[in-house]
Amino acid sequence: MEGSTLLYAFLILVVARLFIKWYSDPLRRIPVVGGTSFPLLSYLAALKFIRRPNDVLLEGHAKYHGSAFRVGMLDRWLVVVSGLDGVEDLRRRPENELTLSVASNQLLQRERILGSEILQTHWHAEVLKTTFTQSIPTILPDLIDELPSAVLRNLPTATDGWQSVEVKPAVLGILAQLNSRVFVGLPLCRNQDYLKLAIDFTVNTMKDAQTMKLTPQLFRPLVARFLTETRTALFKGRTYIEPLVRARREKINQFGNDWPDKPHDLLQLYMEYAADKNATDEMVAQRAFHTNFAAIFTATDNMTNTLCHLASSPEAIGPLRAEAEELIASYGWTKDAIDRMWKAESFLRESARLHTLAPFVITRVAMRDLTLVDGTFVPKGTLVAAAVAPAHRDSNNYPQADVFDPFRFSRQREEKGASATQMFTHTSGKWLAFGHGKHACPGRYYAADELKTLLSYIVVNYDIKVDRPNGGFETGKIMVRKRQSPSKETASSNI
Ligand code: HEM
């Protein structure tokens, strides 16, 4: 047989195999949005979903409202539910039907890149949800104390003119330092090498996951060996923190669980929790560093969008300033003041509503064959999730849902009285910024307080405007200068 005949026969076999696989795929009956499921062409659907996830999800919701559809990812399909019943169905399913750990490993490829310990134990989320959240009143004074230093390092200090600022890197720098103060304390939180490492670790984790998903399964173990930056950053971050753990361990041995200058940061809470869990000091240090990943990324996006919105909504700056100054005059820079900053909270939430932070949440893998509430059959191993933008842009959930209305939630509080549903940290089928259900973001109460404090500090101390007409979101830049109009003395930068 000639070589070319063999080649044709081989190609026909490959095409036939792809066709049979496609035809017999149990997901085939679930409609595809953003492209086609046809072999190879499905990559185009995946690329579209990577570039414009929210547009694809909104399109799916508009076409199939209330029933599931699927969108392409580089290495698999994601079955998406939208609508209140679909979200509620996911939230309620027990772990033996839908599980998070397998899903987050598939999405972030953590086990291959970072090793299995990070994946197998989940105690950090438990600490964040319980003792860390309960400790916010004790932790907040440290965060407030760190604000002037963190902001000064990352925003311009000139009083004599506007300066253009690239918003995202500035916010990354500020939040890395604020979080580090709360996670590992002084002086490490001001060590520039450590902060750079925390930021790089966060950014590289996402990049590596994308590279792995582009790699065929067979070659992933090999490729993972070459993706060393994230692993190295985690290792180096750990080595910065380990000496702190050892020094604190000595104090514990000497004084028991209490001593006069005992730190009250996240590392200390991790150490106390880990004592019952047989976690080694290395594991505790690794956890403390790894928490940066969850804490920096989404919060940075929220604050970046908020500042861009602020630059393009000059009419909102006055009310935000007045609120912050009045409360600080009455309560000082304290949790009591921050809890009452409804306008700041409303602004942050409205920004997160229109500029979705995570396109899908409640991401799970089916542990057995399942039928979803709308009758959609999902076989064992399928990745499923709930879409965020469709819930946040639905005019049944939010009147005039496409309009940026910065004080929509604070107005509701003023008009109807305070209720949990107006809060940034609320979770429901209509408000999914922090996910929903058992694995909803355990750091959200801290995140909301941190972002409200930062936003109020910036409006009290800085003037902000767009860098050019219609700038802000388009350019990712804003103009900033030290505040020109006099501020109330009590609310000035003298924290
Ligand atoms: C605006 C800021 C933040 C947003 C929008 C956000 C959002 C989210 C979302 C959507 C999830 C997944 C929930 C789900 O799919 O149901 C999540 C998980 C998580 N978040 Fe946040 N987050 C923020 C800040 C933080 C901070 C500051 C911390 C730590 C102090 C944190 C720690 C975590 C952890 C550890 C998880 C994983 C929970 C688990 O695996 O059970 N997050 N977050």
Side-chain angles (χ1 to χ4, degrees):
M1 213 187 288
E2 274 183 38
S4 57
T5 320
L6 266 178
L7 184 66
Y8 284 133
F10 176 72
L11 282 177
I12 289 169
L13 270 177
V14 170
V15 170
R17 193 175 179 283
L18 282 174
F19 181 79
I20 292 167
K21 193 166 172 250
W22 169 78
Y23 192 76
S24 55
D25 184 349
L27 292 181
R28 203 168 64 86
R29 290 182 193 287
I30 305 179
V32 174
V33 177
T36 166
S37 67
F38 216 65
L40 301 179
L41 294 180
S42 59
Y43 282 105
L44 296 178
L47 291 176
K48 184 168 174 191
F49 187 57
I50 288 177
R51 275 190 285 117
R52 301 208 315 275
N54 292 324
D55 290 350
V56 174
L57 294 171
L58 285 164
E59 184 190 328
H61 178 71
K63 275 190 185 154
Y64 304 106
H65 179 71
S67 64
F69 54 91
R70 62 185 163 135
V71 296
M73 302 187 87
L74 287 171
D75 59 346
R76 68 195 69 232
W77 293 102
L78 171 69
V79 173
V80 180
V81 305
S82 64
L84 296 177
D85 291 345
V87 174
E88 190 55 18
D89 184 28
L90 289 200
R91 186 188 72 82
R92 280 202 187 151
R93 300 268 176 175
E95 287 285 318
N96 62 3
E97 292 189 6
L98 289 177
T99 189
L100 167 72
S101 59
V102 184
S104 58
N105 190 35
Q106 282 183 3
L107 288 176
L108 294 170
Q109 296 288 310
R110 278 200 185 133
E111 191 166 8
R112 288 223 168 86
I113 295 170
L114 295 179
S116 57
E117 195 276 325
I118 283 285
L119 192 73
Q120 278 160 7
T121 59
H122 208 243
W123 53 261
H124 63 293
E126 203 49 45
V127 176
L128 290 169
K129 206 186 296 182
T130 55
T131 46
F132 180 68
T133 298
Q134 289 148 15
S135 306
I136 292 175
T138 345
I139 283 168
L140 219 52
D142 282 347
L143 184 133
I144 291 166
D145 182 61
E146 197 62 24
L147 266 175
S149 158
V151 174
L152 215 65
R153 278 182 173 181
N154 293 285
L155 285 185
T157 51
T159 47
D160 55 350
W162 292 98
Q163 268 178 267
S164 172
V165 172
E166 214 174 311
V167 189
K168 193 160 179 173
V171 172
L172 262 175
I174 294 173
L175 289 180
Q177 185 171 334
L178 293 180
N179 284 335
S180 296
R181 173 70 183 261
V182 168
F183 293 178
V184 293
L186 277 166
L188 188 53
C189 68
R190 296 193 186 165
N191 178 324
Q192 288 304 304
D193 293 336
Y194 175 79
L195 294 180
K196 183 171 180 321
L197 208 58
I199 293 170
D200 289 352
F201 172 68
T202 304
V203 174
N204 285 335
T205 302
M206 296 305 283
K207 269 204 282 186
D208 286 358
Q210 235 24 328
T211 311
M212 289 292 279
K213 281 188 265 175
L214 272 170
T215 309
Q217 291 280 359
L218 185 66
F219 300 113
R220 286 186 185 175
L222 184 70
V223 170
R225 284 168 174 247
F226 292 96
L227 296 176
T228 51
E229 272 182 80
T230 314
R231 227 179 355 254
T232 311
L234 182 63
F235 175 75
K236 279 197 197 156
R238 201 182 91 185
T239 54
Y240 274 101
I241 301 172
E242 270 169 8
L244 303 181
V245 180
R246 281 197 295 273
R248 293 180 192 196
R249 182 77 60 215
E250 274 175 30
K251 291 268 194 192
I252 293 172
N253 293 342
Q254 205 179 339
F255 300 107
N257 255 344
D258 226 352
W259 64 92
D261 55 348
K262 182 175 134 176
H264 41 258
D265 52 24
L266 180 65
L267 179 62
Q268 191 65 29
L269 298 176
Y270 277 173
M271 282 184 72
E272 284 166 16
Y273 191 88
D276 304 335
K277 303 277 157 197
N278 293 328
T280 62
D281 287 354
E282 291 77 25
M283 282 171 171
V284 172
Q286 174 161 299
R287 268 307 137 157
F289 187 72
H290 189 270
T291 307
N292 282 308
F293 172 68
I296 296 183
F297 217 74
T298 31
T300 294
D301 281 349
N302 186 211
M303 196 65 203
T304 301
N305 296 334
T306 295
L307 292 180
C308 291
H309 271 303
L310 195 59
S312 33
S313 322
E315 70 289 350
I317 295 182
L320 283 172
R321 261 186 192 156
E323 174 184 82
E325 290 186 336
E326 272 163 35
L327 288 167
I328 292 156
S330 306
Y331 299 94
W333 279 99
T334 60
K335 176 134 174 72
D336 281 337
I338 289 148
D339 281 347
R340 290 171 171 78
M341 290 179 181
W342 293 358
K343 288 197 169 70
E345 181 163 348
S346 180
F347 199 106
L348 287 158
R349 178 168 171 185
E350 182 68 351
S351 168
R353 187 183 70 78
L354 271 187
H355 285 92
T356 307
L357 303 170
F360 50 90
V361 295
I362 327 182
T363 316
R364 308 282 187 263
V365 163
M367 300 308 282
R368 56 182 174 82
D369 292 354
L370 295 171
T371 303
L372 300 178
V373 69
D374 65 339
T376 303
F377 171 75
V378 287
K380 183 178 173 184
T382 307
L383 189 67
V384 293
V388 176
H392 290 186
R393 299 278 189 95
D394 188 332
S395 54
N396 293 316
N397 299 340
Y398 302 94
Q400 291 197 291
D402 287 329
V403 175
F404 178 72
D405 176 3
F407 301 126
R408 76 164 70 221
F409 299 105
S410 52
R411 217 171 35 243
Q412 279 171 19
R413 277 195 193 187
E414 282 152 19
E415 287 165 6
K416 298 183 190 160
S419 95
T421 56
Q422 301 136 359
M423 293 175 76
F424 191 22
T425 49
H426 172 67
T427 73
S428 73
K430 296 178 184 175
W431 181 241
L432 292 167
F434 292 103
H436 188 34
K438 197 161 72 175
H439 294 290
C441 175
R444 65 187 187 276
Y445 295 97
Y446 162 74
D449 279 352
E450 176 186 45
L451 295 171
K452 279 161 75 178
T453 313
L454 177 58
L455 176 60
S456 304
Y457 184 82
I458 290 176
V459 292
V460 166
N461 290 290
Y462 288 88
D463 289 328
I464 283 179
K465 64 173 187 175
V466 284
D467 73 324
R468 66 172 99 128
N470 304 323
F473 283 103
E474 291 68 21
T475 59
K477 288 182 184 164
I478 56 172
M479 301 298 282
V480 178
R481 69 175 179 195
K482 282 292 272 183
R483 182 171 168 189
Q484 303 288 290
S485 62
S487 59
K488 278 197 183 171
E489 220 174 281
T490 40
S492 75
S493 58
N494 302 324
I495 278 176

